[in-house]
Amino acid sequence: MSERVKKIVMLVPSAAWLALFFVMPLVIIFIYSLASRGPFGGVEFIFNPDNYVRVIDPMYAGILWRSVYISVISTAICLLIGYPLALYISRQSNAYRNFLLALLIIPFWTNFLVRTYAWMFILRTEGLLNNTLLYIGVISEPLQILFTDTAVIIGLVYTYLPFMVLPVYVSLEKLDHNLLMAARDLGATPLQSFRKVILPLTRPGVISGSILVFVPCIGAYITPDILGGSRSMMIGNLIQNQFLSARDWPFGSALSFVLMAIVLLLLLILARQDRKEEEA
Amino acid sequence: MKRFTALFLITVFTMSCGGTPEDESTGRLASHLNFYNWSYYIGETTISDFQDMTGVRVRYDNYSSNEEVLARLQAGVSGYDVVVPSDYMVEVMISLGLLRPLNHDNLPNIIHMDPRFMGLPFDPENRYSIPYQWGSAGIGVNTARIPDFEESWGLLWDERYSGRISMLDDMRSGLVPALKLLGYSVNTTSEQELEEALDLMIQQKPIVKAYTSDTYIDLLKSGDVWIAYGWSGDIYQVARDNPDIRFFIPQEGTYLWVDNMVIPQKAPSPYTAEVFMNYIMDPEVSAGITNATWYASPNSNATDYIRPEITGDPSIYLSDEILDRSEFLQDVGEQTRLYERIWSRLKSH
């Protein structure tokens, strides 16, 4: 067997996997997005590009904008908490470092829905947080956090923080410590060496972490439902509604496609910016 | 090895045909029946009694939404003999050709059924469906916090209870209080009427704590919410633990639902399914279900066997006056889009 054939054979499983579980579903969604809703909610294969025209409605754009806004804030908070945490973990001794990383992963052993319900008990009017703060005397009136955007953001940050910490940690670990020493020898203050050496070198970690947090945030629908009290929709809820109560699979598929396109566009812009700065 | 192969073949054979098949001409029943029902929706001995009586083993499986069942049947999942969808969903399933017509000769117990729940618009001749249980939506109130109130949907708009109110989170049932308060039909397809309902809902939004179709049970229990718009059975469940919780049906009328036994087109044992449906229509069996679920029975002759605290409760067995002002939700076809937009506008406001 020639080297070339071997390579192709090796690629077959992953290519088949991608074709079956990535390309196929996308193709099906795309075909559905151009079909029509039958009078009783079935999918009728009559060409109907109108689904995409409906998406442009300012109301749906408003919901989309809200989702982007909440996701950007959540991602920013994840970065603000996650970066120092990753920095701290990377500075520890080997054994302790592994222990900390394990702690970061442990929440994933519990079902996501159960953990979200747990936050409901923490944030409610007579919940753990309010009772503790009242007891210490920090506040005199219980805070109304549950069923607000704040609760949604808390829930999203909590859920996706590890996705930020891990890639940042990996890029910090790869960092060559000789570079830091060189910076110090050349008279850089700690802040300067962070800004001019550490930060630029960990950029790839920050970017992949931000993507890993932003993408699931923008599609979230359980967190806004449970912690947001479903008072305001995110795009995920809107899509879920089309598939369940409205039984309008074609429109739901069109919405999903538009969402994917927007996320892809944002990622492309980000990647391009990154390349430009690197060249500069 | 040979024995192993034989065993394997037998297993495959029994799995593929699900035990012995039925034979309607000789009245032989299938060895198994697959019953797909809502969770917590059966009497304590309903199934075991049937098994003892007929020798048919019932495989009991649960779901929690009509859409879930529809998706399964639409995706071509066969294997269910009896399923219990709600009114509007029966209509949808009939139109999509997913149900099998019933042979009424096998259903003599149909004489026990309450005529008010037979021949409903979603299946005018009961060709496909037999009612199982019915109920309604109303308001659960914490009387320890709110001792005096008028039995009206208007309570959900009372600003004194700002932040203590929860609403059902669904584009159809969610709009019922507003539509009833305005005196419109819960199945309206008039854009004008729906706009008015939306205005009312937007006005109410600042005082609503949450829109939820499940967690309101917890919120009412914990005291976070004092007024909850929800389903009778759910709120009675809270009331059993907390006697301060009262459930009422607003005087303006409400929406009713009735869940119905149907046989999917691809059911493996339709004859056994009909025997089972006939068994459920036995007054004592019907009563056993109501005594466990606290939902009303559409079986007129079951009343004698139902606990008097259930039959005597006007919020479970509605008065004729309130029944007259109440409606079933019907599928609104193309106009679902209108409801979807109204609901999304409420949520994006």
Side-chain angles (χ1 to χ4, degrees):
Chain A
M1 217 190 292
S2 77
E3 209 48 36
R4 217 184 128 86
V5 175
K6 227 183 217 167
K7 251 185 202 158
I8 292 175
V9 171
M10 298 276 273
L11 272 175
V12 165
S14 50
W17 176 274
L18 273 179
L20 204 61
F21 295 110
F22 181 72
V23 179
M24 276 275 282
L26 280 185
V27 170
I28 293 173
I29 297 174
F30 185 67
I31 294 173
Y32 272 24
S33 75
L34 291 170
S36 314
R37 179 194 194 271
F40 292 96
V43 179
E44 285 176 6
F45 292 99
I46 302 165
F47 182 67
N48 177 25
D50 178 47
N51 293 320
Y52 286 96
V53 179
R54 279 171 71 194
V55 177
I56 310 170
D57 187 308
M59 176 191 67
Y60 296 130
I63 293 175
L64 188 61
W65 168 241
R66 232 186 74 85
S67 313
V68 172
Y69 169 77
I70 286 185
S71 307
V72 166
I73 292 185
S74 304
T75 311
I77 296 176
C78 276
L79 186 60
L80 284 178
I81 301 174
Y83 200 100
L85 185 60
L87 198 61
Y88 173 78
I89 295 177
S90 70
R91 296 279 169 102
Q92 304 310 309
S93 71
N94 232 337
Y96 189 50
R97 200 191 303 170
N98 286 338
F99 171 72
L100 287 178
L101 285 175
L103 281 188
L104 202 65
I105 304 300
I106 280 178
F108 288 105
W109 296 358
T110 310
N111 180 287
F112 165 65
L113 205 60
V114 174
R115 286 182 286 139
T116 308
Y117 269 103
W119 272 103
M120 222 174 114
F121 285 92
I122 295 173
L123 297 177
R124 72 187 343 160
T125 319
E126 277 143 45
L128 199 65
L129 181 73
N130 271 319
N131 283 347
T132 313
L133 291 179
L134 282 170
Y135 182 77
I136 309 173
V138 180
I139 51 171
S140 55
E141 279 278 304
L143 301 171
Q144 300 295 340
I145 300 177
L146 189 60
F147 305 139
T148 62
D149 285 354
T150 314
V152 176
I153 293 171
I154 290 176
L156 291 175
V157 168
Y158 161 76
T159 311
Y160 298 116
L161 185 64
F163 293 125
M164 179 65 86
V165 177
L166 292 175
V168 173
Y169 165 80
V170 169
S171 61
L172 278 167
E173 214 197 10
K174 279 194 298 199
L175 199 71
D176 188 349
H177 279 268
N178 291 328
L179 291 173
L180 289 180
M181 283 213 270
R184 209 188 300 155
D185 284 350
L186 295 169
T189 63
L191 193 69
Q192 273 175 326
S193 67
F194 175 76
R195 260 187 47 219
K196 304 239 157 143
V197 181
I198 303 183
L199 207 52
L201 285 175
T202 50
R203 261 181 79 96
V206 170
I207 289 175
S208 50
S210 303
I211 292 171
L212 285 178
V213 173
F214 180 81
V215 172
C217 276
I218 202 167
Y221 68 92
I222 292 176
T223 314
D225 241 17
I226 297 180
L227 295 179
S230 190
R231 291 176 51 87
S232 298
M233 261 185 202
M234 281 177 68
I235 186 91
N237 306 99
L238 183 65
I239 294 174
Q240 182 200 19
N241 264 353
Q242 306 310 323
F243 280 92
L244 293 178
S245 35
R247 296 195 311 277
D248 194 344
W249 290 24
F251 183 50
S253 303
L255 278 170
S256 310
F257 237 82
V258 170
L259 177 64
M260 272 188 274
I262 288 172
V263 170
L264 209 63
L265 201 71
L266 285 176
L267 294 185
L268 283 178
I269 293 174
L270 205 67
R272 189 172 237 174
Q273 205 89 34
D274 196 42
R275 212 175 312 140
K276 255 190 208 157
E277 270 177 42
E278 243 164 49
E279 280 161 14
Chain B
M1 191 62 207
K2 225 176 195 168
R3 247 173 62 194
F4 180 76
T5 318
L7 202 70
F8 177 74
L9 282 177
I10 289 170
T11 319
V12 170
F13 182 72
T14 39
M15 269 167 65
S16 58
C17 65
T20 48
E22 63 183 19
D23 183 354
E24 188 167 354
S25 57
T26 61
R28 189 179 74 196
L29 297 174
S31 60
H32 287 90
L33 181 82
N34 300 302
F35 183 28
Y36 196 31
N37 193 7
W38 297 83
S39 31
Y40 307 107
Y41 208 39
I42 190 101
E44 275 162 39
T45 61
T46 315
I47 287 180
S48 53
D49 287 351
F50 181 73
Q51 294 187 150
D52 294 345
M53 220 169 76
T54 59
V56 174
R57 278 207 63 79
V58 177
R59 295 193 188 115
Y60 190 56
D61 203 358
N62 288 156
Y63 55 85
S64 58
S65 93
N66 279 308
E67 282 70 21
E68 198 180 325
V69 186
L70 178 68
R72 284 212 178 189
L73 294 187
Q74 251 180 321
V77 176
S78 56
Y80 294 117
D81 294 302
V82 180
V83 183
V84 193
S86 308
D87 34 69
Y88 73 98
M89 189 52 76
V90 171
E91 193 176 356
V92 170
M93 287 175 172
I94 294 174
S95 331
L96 293 174
L98 296 170
L99 303 185
R100 192 187 162 96
L102 304 172
N103 179 358
H104 280 236
D105 295 341
N106 294 331
L107 303 167
N109 278 340
I110 210 163
I111 51 162
H112 299 298
M113 302 308 284
D114 186 335
R116 288 180 305 173
F117 292 95
M118 299 298 281
L120 292 170
F122 55 85
D123 184 15
E125 288 158 23
N126 289 94
R127 270 194 57 178
Y128 298 92
S129 67
I130 299 288
Y132 180 78
Q133 297 256 278
W134 67 275
S136 52
I139 298 177
V141 183
N142 187 334
T143 54
R145 301 288 189 170
I146 308 172
D148 287 315
F149 54 86
E150 223 182 299
E151 297 198 346
S152 156
W153 290 116
L155 188 61
L156 293 168
W157 272 261
D158 193 328
E159 286 178 7
R160 286 176 296 169
Y161 308 119
S162 174
R164 299 291 183 180
I165 295 167
S166 81
M167 295 290 286
L168 286 178
D169 187 23
D170 170 271
M171 63 177 76
R172 293 301 308 278
S173 53
L175 286 169
V176 167
L179 287 169
K180 280 291 170 193
L181 211 50
L182 292 163
Y184 299 144
S185 161
V186 301
N187 296 311
T188 179
T189 50
S190 141
E191 205 164 345
Q192 175 59 35
E193 292 181 1
L194 283 168
E195 287 288 338
E196 281 178 53
L198 175 64
D199 285 344
L200 216 54
M201 297 289 288
I202 288 174
Q203 184 200 325
Q204 180 207 26
K205 196 175 173 184
I207 67 168
V208 173
K209 178 104 178 168
Y211 297 87
T212 161
S213 300
D214 38 40
T215 50
Y216 70 88
I217 308 171
D218 290 324
L219 295 172
L220 197 60
K221 219 183 260 179
S222 68
D224 279 273
V225 153
W226 298 343
I227 306 171
Y229 165 42
W231 292 296
S232 49
D234 280 352
I235 290 166
Y236 277 105
Q237 203 186 310
V238 183
R240 263 175 266 174
D241 296 335
N242 180 355
D244 287 335
I245 305 295
R246 238 202 77 200
F247 178 77
F248 72 86
I249 303 288
Q251 69 206 13
E252 294 92 350
T254 181
Y255 91 88
L256 308 171
W257 48 259
V258 54
D259 290 329
N260 309 272
M261 297 181 281
V262 299
I263 303 179
Q265 187 64 53
K266 292 183 183 165
S269 313
Y271 170 62
T272 310
E274 281 166 351
V275 171
F276 180 75
M277 284 165 71
N278 192 52
Y279 160 80
I280 294 286
M281 285 190 284
D282 180 273
E284 268 184 84
V285 176
S286 254
I289 299 173
T290 289
N291 283 333
T293 61
W294 286 59
Y295 284 117
S297 174
N299 190 317
S300 334
N301 296 335
T303 320
D304 296 341
Y305 307 102
I306 296 173
R307 297 217 295 260
E309 66 263 40
I310 300 178
T311 47
D313 189 325
S315 301
I316 299 178
Y317 279 85
L318 309 190
S319 69
D320 286 339
E321 195 186 342
I322 286 190
L323 268 182
D324 278 347
R325 294 190 202 131
S326 303
E327 298 161 87
F328 287 98
L329 284 183
Q330 274 168 269
D331 190 73
V332 289
E334 298 283 354
Q335 304 301 330
T336 309
R337 197 184 270 203
L338 205 57
Y339 278 84
E340 193 278 322
R341 268 193 63 86
I342 293 282
W343 196 245
S344 298
R345 276 169 67 195
L346 172 68
K347 294 300 189 70
S348 63
H349 194 79

